[in-house]
Amino acid sequence: MTPPRVHVDRDRCIGAGMCAMTAPEVFDQDPGDGLVLLLDADPPPAHRAAVRMTAGVCPSGAITLHDPGPGTP
Amino acid sequence: MTASESVHTVTAMPTARRPGCPFDPPAELVEARRHGPLSRFVHPGGKPGWLITGYDLVRSVLADPRFSSRKELLNVGDFEVPPAPPGEFLLMDEPQHSRYRKPLVGRFTVRRMRLLTERVEQITADCLDAMEKAGPPVDLVTAFAKPIPTIVICEILGVPYEDRASFQEQIDTFMGGETTDEELVAAYTATQEYLAGLVAAKRAHPTDDILSELTDSDLTDEELRGISLILLAAGFDTTANMLSLGTFALLRHPDQFAALRDDPSLTEGAVEELLRYLSVAKTFMRTALEDVELDGRTVEAGTTVVLSYHTANHDPERFADPHVLDVRRPYGGHLAFSHGVHQCLGQQLARVEMRVAFRALLDRFPTLRLAVPADEVALRPETADIYGVKSLPVTWDRTAS
């Protein structure tokens, strides 16, 4: 299985903090504006379940996961 | 069976829960969800609407920009609803909502709220010390559930806790669902007057808190007053009711109480489960801005829908054995803090407060129990915006020291 590529949309983000709470190794919040900061766009397998959960619970749909597909570096 | 035959109708919001079941959604709402996620509904003012009780559908409506939060669009009776006053951003859409929420978001991050843990522990310990000194029985609402979140939000906002007489009971009045319109207006006006004075004071003499910081922006006094009201009301009445109703629920489920008491590692999960199970912010409304297809029906433009978070959080299609309180339940994305762009701004603060307070309460009083029969515990009516107990007399075994 190919790893998910994580993408965050700071324009959609409302700073609820669900991501920083659920997968703190992958997401944080900007200390100034409180919006999402992506720490790791290619998280290791150990964090992928938490990342999927995060994409599911994000209240504003600001987190998307992309399957890079075969042949993508 | 065709969809048109199967549509279930709920003619009025239930006004009571089943006797002996103070934590479950009213039977009529559980029954409505059994028929399907969407029911026809008649608003109290007589206008037709829809009631949504299924988890997936509540969640999708909350994330759907075709549904508005604007107060003035509420279409529940033959009367005009005024728009939300400036600053009261819960009942607004973009871009007004963001104008007020954006400057606050950085103040309520996961990290910033965790930094408050020690201070919340100290406030909680002070309350527990006072309880211990007074000795049993005590009312957990006044000794514990109310002061902890009130002191915390006062410190964050910069509201002197000594002034609580000017807002605490008033906010209780407009959240408690047992008042006449006149009382409601009087309580609201009194709180507004207090907050107007406070905003003026912060402008004149800024201190190190959110309100003072917000005076250094283009927000008007009127807007600051509205924001303060939202933050203050949402900041303590919700958490206070979670702490007191949550303790009542744990005491009514001794196995769950014992499990949480004996294993601190269950605390975070127990808080999420209590949020799901109790859903004290029970219902919210949205109004369709255009015709929207939901579950095979058309919700016409201008129709107001009622979303039952409580019933959605008890949806068996999402949560196994939903009416069971299980502090070991894996986190399942409950809707207690809502969903979509209006999801609770203070949720990370509420989590810190609840984790600290429930943990400390059970550590301090491992033999905690009700001091009155359970059916004598006075509950807020189902019509209250925020559900909860009015008082919770508790007792415990004093340890020989």
Side-chain angles (χ1 to χ4, degrees):
Chain A
M1 208 183 75
T2 42
R5 283 280 164 85
V6 187
H7 178 261
V8 297
D9 182 345
R10 286 175 52 85
D11 290 333
R12 291 188 75 105
C13 178
I14 57 152
M18 289 303 293
C19 55
M21 180 181 101
T22 311
E25 298 85 357
V26 181
F27 304 98
D28 201 349
Q29 288 171 281
D30 184 298
D33 63 19
L35 302 184
V36 61
L37 291 177
L38 183 59
L39 305 177
D40 185 353
D42 265 314
H47 297 148
R48 280 180 209 155
V51 169
R52 274 193 206 94
M53 162 75 101
T54 301
V57 297
C58 172
S60 59
I63 297 167
T64 40
L65 306 181
H66 299 284
D67 186 339
T72 311
Chain B
M1 188 169 69
T2 67
S4 61
E5 282 162 1
S6 69
V7 71
H8 181 76
T9 300
V10 174
T11 49
M13 266 324 242
T15 52
R17 300 186 181 191
R18 280 179 303 153
C21 300
F23 311 117
D24 294 343
E28 296 89 330
L29 299 185
V30 174
E31 176 65 15
R33 200 221 54 82
R34 250 202 295 273
H35 286 273
L38 186 68
S39 306
R40 285 194 192 281
F41 180 66
V42 183
H43 290 288
K47 286 293 185 79
W50 296 92
L51 169 70
I52 308 182
T53 50
Y55 176 93
D56 287 341
L57 204 58
V58 168
R59 200 171 181 277
S60 73
V61 167
L62 288 169
D64 190 335
R66 293 174 299 174
F67 284 95
S68 169
S69 290
R70 285 163 62 194
K71 189 178 176 188
E72 67 272 30
L73 297 183
L74 286 174
N75 182 11
V76 296
D78 280 322
F79 45 82
E80 295 268 303
V81 180
E88 295 187 20
F89 57 92
L90 224 64
L91 301 176
M92 296 178 182
D93 291 340
E94 304 309 339
Q96 290 84 359
H97 166 256
S98 275
R99 169 173 166 79
Y100 303 124
R101 179 167 174 136
K102 270 229 158 91
L104 296 166
V105 170
R107 305 297 305 246
F108 288 94
T109 61
V110 172
R111 271 178 200 279
R112 273 186 109 127
M113 295 303 102
R114 284 198 180 139
L115 289 176
L116 288 175
T117 302
E118 261 180 54
R119 178 67 189 129
V120 178
E121 282 171 348
Q122 194 181 11
I123 292 165
T124 304
D126 290 346
C127 289
L128 295 171
D129 289 348
M131 280 172 66
E132 210 166 1
K133 201 171 159 208
V138 305
D139 172 17
L140 198 81
V141 173
T142 48
F144 178 84
K146 269 191 190 176
I148 295 170
T150 310
I151 295 169
V152 173
I153 196 67
C154 283
E155 290 185 359
I156 293 176
L157 289 181
V159 176
Y161 183 61
E162 310 81 73
D163 291 358
R164 64 190 176 280
S166 307
F167 58 83
Q168 199 171 37
E169 290 315 309
Q170 281 84 332
I171 288 175
D172 213 319
T173 299
F174 43 85
M175 298 291 210
E178 283 186 305
T179 43
T180 62
D181 286 355
E182 290 75 34
E183 287 171 315
L184 210 66
V185 169
Y188 184 80
T189 310
T191 313
Q192 288 284 23
E193 277 168 16
Y194 168 72
L195 291 173
L198 187 68
V199 167
K202 296 291 175 187
R203 276 216 196 277
H205 305 286
T207 37
D208 181 20
D209 48 60
I210 290 187
L211 258 185
S212 299
E213 210 168 90
L214 288 177
T215 59
D216 189 20
S217 70
D218 66 345
L219 295 166
T220 65
D221 284 3
E222 201 184 8
E223 290 175 316
L224 288 173
R225 215 167 59 198
I227 293 174
S228 316
L229 179 67
I230 293 279
L231 295 183
L232 201 53
F236 75 80
D237 194 65
T238 47
T239 310
N241 280 294
M242 272 303 301
L243 290 176
S244 47
L245 190 67
T247 304
F248 184 34
L250 289 169
L251 293 173
R252 294 296 289 146
H253 297 85
D255 56 327
Q256 300 300 305
F257 180 94
L260 178 58
R261 179 193 61 202
D262 299 341
D263 185 355
S265 76
L266 296 180
T267 308
E268 290 193 11
V271 165
E272 299 303 324
E273 171 66 349
L274 286 166
L275 284 162
R276 177 199 74 81
Y277 180 69
L278 300 170
S279 304
V280 297
K282 310 181 307 293
T283 50
F284 278 84
M285 292 192 277
R286 293 287 189 273
T287 303
L289 294 171
E290 54 185 89
D291 288 1
V292 181
E293 293 294 313
L294 288 186
D295 197 45
R297 313 262 162 197
T298 303
V299 174
E300 287 177 15
T303 306
T304 296
V305 300
V306 176
L307 310 168
S308 173
Y309 295 0
H310 190 201
T311 317
N313 277 336
H314 285 240
D315 183 345
E317 289 178 26
R318 175 74 185 194
F319 302 99
D321 300 321
H323 303 309
V324 172
L325 175 68
D326 176 6
V327 296
R328 293 188 180 84
R329 186 187 293 270
Y331 177 70
H334 61 71
L335 299 169
F337 290 121
S338 188
H339 185 69
V341 298
H342 287 275
Q343 193 183 54
C344 181
L345 172 72
Q347 60 179 294
Q348 305 301 347
L349 172 60
R351 286 188 167 102
V352 168
E353 290 174 332
M354 284 186 271
R355 289 168 187 168
V356 167
F358 281 122
R359 184 74 258 145
L361 177 69
L362 272 56
D363 285 348
R364 182 77 70 102
F365 301 117
T367 61
L368 194 76
R369 56 190 181 275
L370 290 176
V372 295
D375 57 9
E376 286 177 21
V377 171
L379 293 147
R380 279 188 176 180
E382 191 59 23
T383 46
D385 283 339
I386 305 292
Y387 189 65
V389 298
K390 293 188 210 167
S391 67
L392 190 71
V394 293
T395 185
W396 60 87
D397 297 337
R398 286 191 203 239
T399 47
S401 53

